Amino acid sequence: MPRLEELANVALRVPSILVLDLLYKCDIDGLTEHLKAKNEDMLFKYKYVIWNLYYLGHLINVVVLLLPLRHIVMLYLHILAALLLYMGHQISKDYVREELHFGFEGAVFRDSSTFNRFVSALTSQIILCTLCAFLMKTKKVWLFSAHMLPLLARLCTVPHATLLTVNTFSMGLTGAGIAVFLLSHLFVPYRLAKAAYSELLQVEVIELYRLLAVGISLWNKFAVPVLFTVFWFVLFIVQLCSDIMSSNSASPSHQGIMFLLLSSVSECCATPYSLLGLTFVVSYLALGLLNLCKFYLGGYAAVQNENVMHRGVTEGVTLLLLALQTGLLDMQALQRTFLLSIILFIVVTSTLQSMVEITDPIILALGASRNRSSWKHFRGLSMCLLLLVFPVFMAYRISQFFHMDFWLLILVSSCMLTSLQVTGTMLIYGLFMVELFRSDPIESLDEIIYWVNAISRVLEFVVALCVVAYGTWESLFGEWSWMGASVIIIHSYFNVWLRGQSGWRSFLLRQEAAKKINSLPRATAQQLQQHNDVCSICFQVTHSVSQTVTRSLGHSVTQSHGHTVTQSLSHRFWIVDIMIVINNFLT
């Protein structure tokens, strides 16, 4: 039952959003311009009525959307009962027309065809009455049997001319009953709103955190992300089927399929409701892709370790902000398609960057931990190759469709940065694997890792510097805009100045630490043999050691496999460098 309630809570609210989306697309101004009336006064009244109906439609759908679940269920049950009553009147109307057509006015049991028509219509009407009573949870079936009056009149051999009058009377009787029911329940939304307002006053939502708690509670109760996601998928499927049916080519090419999909998606983000639905869809797709990456690399246990930065929220918010900033809703269909393709490109780039952040520690841990599982190494390397090749392919494809300018360079540079990060990770992984298969350990491995990581960061810095240089040159000798200048300034400060400053500071700190460690005296071979010392970390025989001995413990700070204390500190500074870069990226 809880699952069924969750499903009903979403499915029964989707039609309200669909109607709101259709109302938003309605061109009321264009409709009122083509109205014709006898005079200006009548024309004004027509426009007044149309606009009021338009606003009333919005109000009714918003009220239905915000109703509690049990009230929405009751509303749909009443609508279904009304449809069944309408069907019953249509059956009666068709039956009266058939009787007038055949013209037999005797008793129904005297003619076989007349009797068969009567039994069929009567059976249908009894079933409809029973269904209406079942939906309304009442045993008073006669309340829903007004449409059976023409059948009863025909059973009493009423003249055919009177059957039309009886049918009209039955329809009027049902309409009057529905009107009385609607008038008696006219203030139900008002009473619900009043009850909700009273509950909010009891909660004392004056304080901000309580107001946020109420908002989060309503968000979860209405299942807003799932609701808008289902709404958008329904809209997209209908639009895609319509585009496929209207397409002239029976077997479009691959490029035609991509354009068809993009055009269908762009048509499904022409209103604020559909744009919000696309935002949640992109967020869920990004979350699914990141979870798939975690599952591929680490299995089911890795999916359970949730990270706030890897929940797809960043990608959805990015799409929404870019769409609002660029005025996506106000564009024509073709312009919206091309702009949406660029926005989705940025979203995919952001998703790839999150995948790199997931893959990087896993592949480095495989190399450093000397894990010999071939399947784990294959999964890590295949994911790295995908993250290395796919951004390059994306940059190549988008550079073919658009002329190179500052904005396109930013997109291409983001793909290049992703590939550079993956390249650095694979190089470090390769060093770990080379040391694993060597008989002797690699001297100064940490030093090599530090410089590999440093070169990767320098290349990222150079890419950011090239973007700034190109943007500055285009602003000075090309088209000047305040938006472009502001982007250049922000990019120069965060991606060039702060990154260069933090990198240089890290380098100086490392150099200073290395000088201090190298200034310490080294233990001689005789001292090592005299103490019979081993490494305190790996318990292997040492070859050289700094002579900083804690005599109370009888141990010295050792070097294992040629790794000096200086190199251990270098490794720690390498971790600090990574944390600084990640902090700058998140900022």
Side-chain angles (χ1 to χ4, degrees):
M1 288 301 294
R3 291 291 183 183
L4 185 61
E5 289 182 359
E6 292 177 2
L7 181 62
N9 188 38
V10 173
L12 297 181
R13 299 183 194 274
V14 169
S16 299
I17 308 180
L18 287 171
V19 176
L20 286 173
D21 188 75
L22 290 175
L23 288 174
Y24 187 88
K25 292 179 180 179
C26 289
D27 187 11
I28 303 298
D29 291 327
L31 179 63
T32 54
E33 286 179 0
H34 298 286
L35 289 177
K36 295 181 181 180
K38 296 180 180 179
N39 49 46
E40 292 294 331
D41 188 27
M42 292 296 296
L43 182 61
F44 175 78
K45 291 181 179 180
Y46 289 157
K47 291 182 179 181
Y48 181 78
V49 171
I50 291 175
W51 277 105
N52 279 282
L53 290 176
Y54 179 73
Y55 293 132
L56 182 62
H58 277 86
L59 179 62
I60 292 175
N61 283 278
V62 170
V63 170
V64 172
L65 184 63
L66 299 178
L67 283 176
L69 178 59
R70 62 187 184 90
H71 289 84
I72 293 183
V73 172
M74 289 301 298
L75 176 63
Y76 277 96
L77 290 178
H78 283 86
I79 293 175
L80 184 58
L83 292 175
L84 291 175
L85 290 175
Y86 174 77
M87 186 183 300
H89 283 289
Q90 285 297 116
I91 292 174
S92 296
K93 187 177 180 180
D94 294 338
Y95 174 74
V96 170
R97 287 180 178 176
E98 288 182 355
E99 290 300 311
L100 292 176
H101 175 71
F102 287 101
F104 181 77
E105 295 188 1
V108 293
F109 55 83
R110 292 185 176 181
D111 185 70
S112 60
S113 61
T114 303
F115 182 74
N116 291 333
R117 290 194 301 270
F118 177 80
V119 171
S120 299
L122 182 62
T123 304
S124 302
Q125 300 289 23
I126 291 174
I127 293 174
L128 292 176
C129 293
T130 306
L131 286 176
C132 289
F134 174 76
L135 293 176
M136 295 295 99
K137 297 180 181 180
T138 180
K139 295 182 180 179
K140 300 178 181 180
V141 184
W142 57 269
L143 291 174
F144 311 98
S145 59
H147 48 80
M148 296 180 64
L149 290 178
L151 296 178
L152 295 177
R154 182 67 184 88
L155 185 62
C156 298
T157 63
V158 173
H160 287 178
T162 313
L163 288 178
L164 291 175
T165 306
V166 175
N167 186 46
T168 305
F169 174 75
S170 65
M171 293 178 65
L173 189 62
T174 302
I178 293 175
V180 171
F181 176 81
L182 291 177
L183 290 175
S184 63
H185 293 79
L186 185 62
F187 295 99
V188 170
Y190 171 74
R191 289 196 292 268
L192 289 174
K194 186 178 179 180
Y197 180 71
S198 301
E199 291 183 3
L200 289 178
L201 289 180
Q202 293 177 1
V203 178
E204 296 179 357
V205 295
I206 300 176
E207 298 182 9
L208 180 60
Y209 75 94
R210 292 186 177 180
L211 184 62
L212 291 176
V214 172
I216 294 173
S217 177
L218 293 176
W219 179 280
N220 295 328
K221 184 177 181 180
F222 292 135
V224 175
V226 180
L227 175 62
F228 277 90
T229 300
V230 174
F231 152 72
W232 190 87
F233 269 116
V234 172
L235 204 65
F236 175 71
I237 292 173
V238 173
Q239 183 65 41
L240 184 62
C241 293
S242 176
D243 291 343
I244 291 176
M245 292 177 64
S246 61
S247 179
N248 295 326
S249 56
S251 57
S253 61
H254 180 70
Q255 184 176 357
I257 293 176
M258 290 299 298
F259 183 78
L260 182 64
L261 290 175
L262 284 174
S263 61
S264 300
V265 172
S266 66
E267 287 293 335
C268 295
C269 60
T271 64
Y273 308 103
S274 56
L275 179 60
L276 191 59
L278 180 61
T279 300
F280 288 115
V281 168
V282 168
S283 180
Y284 276 119
L285 290 177
L287 176 61
L289 189 60
L290 294 177
N291 285 337
L292 184 62
C293 176
K294 292 179 184 178
F295 179 77
Y296 180 71
L297 292 174
Y300 182 74
V303 180
Q304 303 302 314
N305 299 326
E306 295 186 356
N307 190 341
V308 179
M309 298 300 296
H310 300 151
R311 292 186 57 84
V313 179
T314 305
E315 288 75 13
V317 173
T318 300
L319 182 138
L320 182 62
L321 293 178
L322 289 175
L324 295 177
Q325 184 181 3
T326 55
L328 184 70
L329 299 178
D330 300 328
M331 293 185 177
Q332 299 296 327
L334 187 60
Q335 294 176 342
R336 189 163 58 245
T337 301
F338 282 102
L339 180 59
L340 186 64
S341 64
I342 298 176
I343 293 176
L344 292 178
F345 181 89
I346 298 173
V347 171
V348 173
T349 304
S350 176
T351 308
L352 290 175
Q353 183 63 41
S354 299
M355 293 174 66
V356 170
E357 295 174 2
I358 294 171
T359 308
D360 184 77
I362 294 177
I363 192 68
L364 291 181
L366 284 175
S369 63
R370 302 176 182 270
N371 192 305
R372 294 184 177 274
S373 175
S374 302
W375 174 236
K376 289 184 178 180
H377 286 272
F378 172 77
R379 288 183 295 180
L381 287 176
S382 60
M383 182 59 66
C384 286
L385 289 175
L386 174 66
L387 296 175
L388 177 65
V389 175
F390 191 69
V392 177
F393 174 75
M394 288 175 56
Y396 170 73
R397 294 292 296 177
I398 198 171
S399 61
Q400 285 186 325
F401 286 100
F402 300 98
H403 176 70
M404 178 61 69
D405 57 359
F406 177 59
W407 305 104
L408 183 60
L409 183 62
I410 292 178
L411 300 181
V412 173
S413 66
S414 63
C415 295
M416 294 175 61
L417 290 176
T418 302
S419 298
L420 283 175
Q421 291 176 5
V422 177
T423 303
T425 301
M426 293 183 68
L427 287 175
I428 296 173
Y429 167 81
L431 290 173
F432 284 141
M433 297 308 296
V434 168
E435 187 188 33
L436 176 62
F437 289 103
R438 281 171 56 97
S439 58
D440 297 328
I442 300 176
E443 294 291 338
S444 65
L445 177 63
D446 290 336
E447 190 77 14
I448 299 174
I449 291 176
Y450 175 83
W451 285 110
V452 169
N453 192 65
I455 291 173
S456 176
R457 298 297 179 267
V458 168
L459 290 177
E460 294 176 12
F461 179 79
V462 170
V463 171
L465 193 62
C466 291
V467 172
V468 171
Y470 184 85
T472 305
W473 180 82
E474 190 179 54
S475 298
L476 293 177
F477 301 100
E479 296 182 359
W480 165 267
S481 65
W482 285 106
M483 179 63 69
S486 61
V487 170
I488 292 173
I489 294 173
I490 294 173
H491 188 73
S492 302
Y493 180 72
F494 287 101
N495 291 337
V496 177
W497 174 252
L498 290 182
R499 180 176 294 182
Q501 194 177 25
S502 63
W504 181 250
R505 188 185 302 113
S506 175
F507 177 75
L508 293 179
L509 290 174
R510 180 185 177 279
Q511 291 295 105
E512 183 179 357
K515 288 180 181 179
K516 291 181 179 180
I517 296 299
N518 289 328
S519 64
L520 296 174
R522 301 282 179 176
T524 62
Q526 292 79 8
Q527 290 174 329
L528 292 175
Q529 186 177 5
Q530 180 182 356
H531 289 88
N532 194 21
D533 208 354
V534 294
C535 177
S536 59
I537 299 175
C538 65
F539 297 101
Q540 303 245 352
V541 178
T542 56
H543 300 286
S544 66
V545 65
S546 298
Q547 196 174 358
T548 55
V549 185
T550 55
R551 297 184 180 273
S552 59
L553 297 176
H555 270 276
S556 59
V557 181
T558 60
Q559 174 197 18
S560 174
H561 301 292
H563 297 304
T564 62
V565 178
T566 305
Q567 293 158 349
S568 299
L569 286 179
S570 302
H571 180 66
R572 293 179 183 178
F573 281 116
W574 166 63
I575 297 176
V576 172
D577 290 338
I578 294 179
M579 295 303 297
I580 290 174
V581 172
I582 293 176
N583 183 45
N584 290 336
F585 174 75
L586 295 179
T587 304

